[in-house]
């Protein structure tokens, strides 16, 4: 147990509406990624798509702007520096003149972007696999009420004017071009200095084997969270395109089914009763599961992957995911951990997507999936935890540190200072404040809480297993409701841990761990 500071956190809820207004680009480009130092005035494809999708029912204007902005930035050529490819949706677009950061930090990032094909004015990178299928899914959701979006036109970087439908077609073709012999979407890196993992868990240690070894980045990796949205997006694209593209639509549906079937077959670990987070290859090119237990499987519930399975199989997979992620290895007072706590000591660092962090967006998308599967009471438990984290920390942070014993570090400003007697926690970075997808999630949770609760949907006889599952989980977890009073706060969180987030030591430990993997890829490319 960490030594304690003689204080407790405060209830200091940030205004989510004010935060959203600050994130609005005001020039028709959608949303900036954050209000914090790292990502202000930057437009990330993945973040924009997820945040605008969350907000679609409240303000469809944002989704409309995001679709047009990302279509204009869509890849048109091949670049080994930025990983740009025709049809691929970008990862990050940054204008350095508008980015507000300390001069030294700005200079370092500008130098890094020069390795990725940028200049000292602006840079666009394509280090994202999942942004492309998410782009199609947002178009599909938006087109349900605004079908004319498909006919709108944008001008891309190569000067060509295209319709949103053509942009969607190009995106779908990019996905199918990366369906490997395995029947899964596998995308390799071209630039060895680019992001090692190009999914939402894009940190260098985001995907590890049980013994702590890094996933093999010298060959394309199949990520679980990519497969589910890739399959859904290809099916969605097939339903949106005009009749004269019938052959393309059929090929996309075929690829979608292949991805779905192979995901369930190849990622499921029967002995662990859970899904692997990724499949990499050994030095001989043989597939191997990354058998570390991570939160990635939670996002499967917010997809169609289980929809066409027999009821008993669907119950098996959903129950396994829910029971694991609501176990003490994952569930905390602020949401689910990114990786099971059993791996807390594996890397000697509280890594960005590891055992000692909980991301609000991770918990929120899992909660959306729970609602989709008829598990609304469990979803409410996660949403209450997310809301409490934001209100007690005073900002919409991208993640929160949670000790192995469940103690949450809420006073992040204090934790950045090395107080006397503080327990040292090696970390990779401090959480970014005012992150768009946390703001959007918090806003929608508050909106839901402010509405009259709807009647629970009738549970069909074949789905009564879901009610039993929910009752069983709720009986074994801590019931968390939104904290609204100081008395309640002081009772639940009497003091804050005296912890120092040691980024310098954490970075040193991280480099020692990932260095061999980076050298291996460098030699592989040579």
């Amino acid at each position: 147990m960490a030594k304690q500071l003689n204080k407790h956190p405060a209830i200091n809820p940030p205004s989510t509406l004010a935060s959203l207004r600050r994130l609005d680009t005001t020039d028709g480009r959608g949303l900036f990624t954050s209000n914090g130092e790292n990502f202000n005035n930057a437009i990330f494809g993945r973040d924009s798509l997820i945040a605008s999708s969350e907000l679609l029912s409240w303000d469809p204007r944002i989704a409309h702007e995001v679709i047009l902005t990302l279509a204009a930035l869509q890849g048109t050529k091949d670049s080994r520096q930025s990983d740009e490819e025709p049809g691929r949706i970008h990862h990050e677009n940054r204008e350095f003149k508008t980015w507000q950061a300390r001069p030294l930090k700005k200079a370092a990032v500008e130098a890094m972007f020069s390795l990725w094909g940028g200049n000292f004015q602006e840079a666009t990178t394509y280090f994202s696999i999942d942004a492309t299928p998410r782009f199609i899914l947002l178009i599909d959701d938006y087109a349900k009420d605004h079908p004319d979006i498909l006919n709108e036109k944008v001008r891309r970087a190569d000067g060509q004017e295209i319709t949103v439908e053509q942009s969607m077609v190009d995106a779908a073709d990019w996905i199918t071009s990366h369906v490997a012999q395995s029947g899964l979407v596998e995308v390799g890196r071209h630039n060895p200095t680019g992001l090692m993992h190009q999914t939402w868990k894009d940190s260098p240690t985001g995907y590890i084997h049980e013994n702590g070894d890094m996933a093999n980045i010298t060959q394309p990796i199949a990520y679980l969270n990519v497969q589910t949205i890739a399959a859904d997006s290809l099916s969605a694209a097939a339903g949106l395109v005009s009749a004269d593209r019938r052959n393309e639509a059929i090929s996309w549906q075929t690829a979608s089914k292949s991805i779905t079937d192979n995901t369930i077959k190849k990622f499921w670990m029967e002995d662990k009763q859970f899904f692997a987070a990724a499949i990499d290859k050994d030095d001989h090119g043989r597939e191997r599961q990354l058998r570390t237990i991570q939160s990635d499987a939670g996002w499967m519930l917010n997809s169609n992957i289980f929809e066409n399975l027999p009821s008993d199989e669907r119950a098996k997979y959903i129950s396994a995911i829910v029971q694991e992620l609501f176990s003490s290895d994952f569930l905390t007072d602020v949401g689910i951990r990114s990786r099971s706590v059993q791996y807390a000591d594996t890397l000697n660092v509280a890594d960005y997507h590891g055992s000692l962090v909980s991301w609000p967006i991770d918990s929120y998308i899992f909660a959306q999936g729970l609602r989709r599967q008829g598990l609304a009471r469990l979803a409410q438990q996660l949403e209450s935890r997310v809301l409490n984290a934001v209100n007690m920390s005073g900002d919409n942070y991208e993640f929160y540190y949670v000790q192995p014993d469940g103690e949450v570090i809420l006073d992040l400003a204090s934790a950045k200072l090395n107080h006397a007697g503080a327990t040292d926690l090696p970390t990779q970075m401090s959480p970014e404040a005012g992150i768009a997808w946390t703001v959007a999630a918090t806003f929608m949770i508050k909106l839901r809480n402010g509405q009259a609760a709807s009647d629970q949907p009738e549970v069909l006889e074949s789905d009564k297993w879901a009610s039993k599952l929910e009752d069983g989980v709720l009986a074994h977890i801590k019931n968390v409701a939104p904290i609204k009073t100081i008395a309640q706060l002081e009772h639940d969180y009497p003091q804050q841990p005296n912890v120092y987030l040691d980024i310098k030591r954490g970075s040193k430990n991280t480099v020692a761990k990932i260095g061999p993997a980076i050298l291996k890829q460098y030699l592989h490319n040579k």
Side-chain angles (χ1 to χ4, degrees):
M1 179 74 69
K3 296 181 180 179
Q4 303 290 316
L5 291 174
N6 188 24
K7 66 174 182 175
H8 57 75
I11 297 179
N12 184 30
S15 168
T16 49
L17 189 57
S19 297
L20 279 174
R21 287 172 178 159
R22 288 196 299 273
L23 289 165
D24 196 316
T25 63
T26 71
D27 60 0
R29 291 184 293 154
L31 293 174
F32 291 126
T33 298
S34 82
N35 294 316
E37 183 181 28
N38 291 330
F39 310 126
N40 69 78
N41 291 293
I43 296 176
F44 280 65
R46 175 191 304 120
D47 300 56
S48 297
L49 290 161
I50 290 178
S52 61
S53 177
E54 292 170 22
L55 297 167
L56 180 59
S57 62
W58 177 72
D59 188 356
R61 170 194 62 87
I62 298 173
H64 179 254
E65 292 181 2
V66 167
I67 290 169
L68 297 183
T69 298
L70 270 57
L73 291 168
Q74 189 173 29
T76 60
K77 63 182 185 298
D78 290 298
S79 169
R80 297 188 67 84
Q81 280 189 297
S82 66
D83 273 6
E84 179 181 358
E85 295 173 335
R88 190 173 191 174
I89 297 301
H90 86 285
H91 171 59
E92 179 177 2
N93 173 261
R94 193 187 291 261
E95 294 180 356
F96 293 112
K97 63 182 179 181
T98 59
W99 178 35
Q100 299 173 25
R102 290 164 291 176
L104 186 60
K105 183 170 192 171
K106 207 167 187 176
V109 172
E110 287 174 348
M112 181 174 64
F113 270 91
S114 68
L115 299 174
W116 298 344
N119 53 48
F120 291 98
Q121 300 296 320
E122 181 182 8
T124 303
T125 66
Y126 294 80
F127 303 140
S128 170
I129 305 170
D130 51 323
T132 305
R134 287 198 177 280
F135 175 68
I136 297 173
L137 291 175
L138 183 61
I139 293 173
D140 182 49
D141 285 341
Y142 184 82
K144 288 179 173 65
D145 291 325
H146 309 87
D148 290 344
I149 183 66
L150 295 172
N151 300 320
E152 292 194 45
K153 295 183 178 181
V154 297
R155 190 173 299 279
R156 296 197 294 206
D158 62 357
Q160 183 182 11
E161 187 177 66
I162 63 165
T163 63
V164 169
E165 180 182 1
Q166 182 59 53
S167 178
M168 182 189 69
V169 168
D170 292 346
D173 286 343
W174 181 83
I175 296 170
T176 55
S177 72
H178 289 284
V179 177
Q181 289 185 345
S182 64
L184 301 169
V185 176
E186 301 179 8
V187 182
R189 303 189 320 154
H190 297 303
N191 188 337
T193 68
L195 298 182
M196 294 174 68
H197 300 291
Q198 300 185 358
T199 74
W200 88 265
K201 290 185 176 179
D202 56 5
S203 57
T205 54
Y207 293 89
I208 61 172
H209 289 279
E210 286 187 291
N211 62 359
D213 286 349
M214 301 295 103
N216 182 10
I217 58 173
T218 65
Q219 299 187 56
I221 297 174
Y223 299 96
L224 178 64
N225 63 67
V226 169
Q227 310 310 316
T228 53
I229 57 174
D232 282 1
S233 68
L234 291 174
S235 179
L240 283 174
V241 290
S242 51
D244 61 340
R245 296 185 185 273
R246 182 173 178 274
N247 289 339
E248 288 171 286
I250 292 173
S251 71
W252 297 336
Q253 288 284 22
T254 301
S256 175
K257 186 177 187 310
S258 171
I259 295 167
T260 297
D261 293 346
N262 282 291
T263 297
I264 294 173
K265 175 184 176 182
K266 296 191 175 188
F267 283 84
W268 178 249
M269 301 181 290
E270 186 65 29
D271 60 331
K272 289 180 177 282
Q273 290 291 290
F274 203 66
F275 286 92
I279 295 175
D280 73 347
K281 297 180 178 67
D282 64 18
D283 291 336
H284 301 287
R286 294 172 299 204
E287 292 180 358
R288 57 183 183 179
Q289 296 170 328
L290 269 75
R291 295 171 57 80
T292 45
I293 306 300
Q294 301 196 168
S295 65
D296 303 54
W299 293 33
M300 299 176 78
L301 273 60
N302 199 34
S303 74
N304 295 320
I305 193 164
F306 302 128
E307 294 300 309
N308 296 318
L309 293 178
S311 181
D312 59 337
E313 287 187 46
R314 180 168 168 263
K316 169 187 174 179
Y317 295 130
I318 294 175
S319 297
I321 293 169
V322 170
Q323 289 170 344
E324 181 64 50
L325 297 185
F326 274 90
S327 74
S328 58
D329 280 354
F330 277 94
L331 189 63
T332 77
D333 282 359
V334 291
I336 58 171
R337 297 179 188 271
S338 190
R339 187 185 298 133
S340 171
V341 75
Q342 65 180 287
Y343 307 106
D345 298 326
T346 302
L347 297 177
N348 197 26
V349 62
D351 56 319
Y352 196 42
H353 298 102
S355 299
L356 302 185
V357 299
S358 177
W359 287 66
I361 191 59
D362 200 5
S363 297
Y364 184 70
I365 290 182
F366 181 32
Q368 287 181 305
L370 290 167
R371 290 189 183 277
R372 182 170 179 167
Q373 306 301 333
L375 303 167
R377 289 179 294 164
L378 291 179
Q380 191 173 40
Q381 281 296 304
L382 288 182
E383 290 166 353
S384 293
R385 286 165 162 81
V386 169
L387 192 59
N388 286 344
V390 169
N391 288 345
M392 290 188 295
S393 66
D395 212 322
N396 294 275
Y397 287 102
E398 58 179 337
F399 64 90
Y400 295 89
Y401 284 107
V402 186
Q403 301 276 53
D405 62 5
E407 207 167 36
V408 183
I409 301 172
L410 292 166
D411 189 351
L412 292 166
S414 177
K416 294 177 184 179
L417 305 174
N418 196 357
H419 297 283
T423 299
D424 190 76
L425 181 65
T427 60
Q428 290 179 341
M429 64 185 298
S430 295
E432 176 84 339
I435 205 82
W437 55 22
T438 302
V439 174
T442 305
F443 182 83
M444 296 309 293
I445 292 171
K446 289 182 177 180
L447 197 64
R448 180 187 295 277
N449 289 349
Q451 296 171 344
S454 61
D455 293 335
Q456 285 288 335
E458 179 183 354
V459 179
L460 302 177
E461 186 67 32
S462 61
D463 286 343
K464 289 229 174 136
W465 60 266
S467 293
K468 293 180 181 178
L469 169 65
E470 194 167 44
D471 289 341
V473 172
L474 287 170
H476 290 91
I477 66 170
K478 175 182 177 181
N479 179 50
V480 172
I483 294 176
K484 298 180 179 179
T485 68
I486 293 294
Q488 184 184 1
L489 176 69
E490 292 180 346
H491 176 270
D492 292 348
Y493 300 94
Q495 292 177 311
Q496 273 288 278
N498 185 10
V499 173
Y500 172 53
L501 302 180
D502 191 343
I503 296 177
K504 183 177 180 180
R505 183 177 158 204
S507 299
K508 181 179 178 180
N509 292 351
T510 299
V511 170
K513 193 68 183 177
I514 68 173
I518 295 174
L519 178 61
K520 184 178 180 180
Q521 182 171 46
Y522 174 78
L523 294 174
H524 175 81
N525 290 349
K526 293 289 282 187

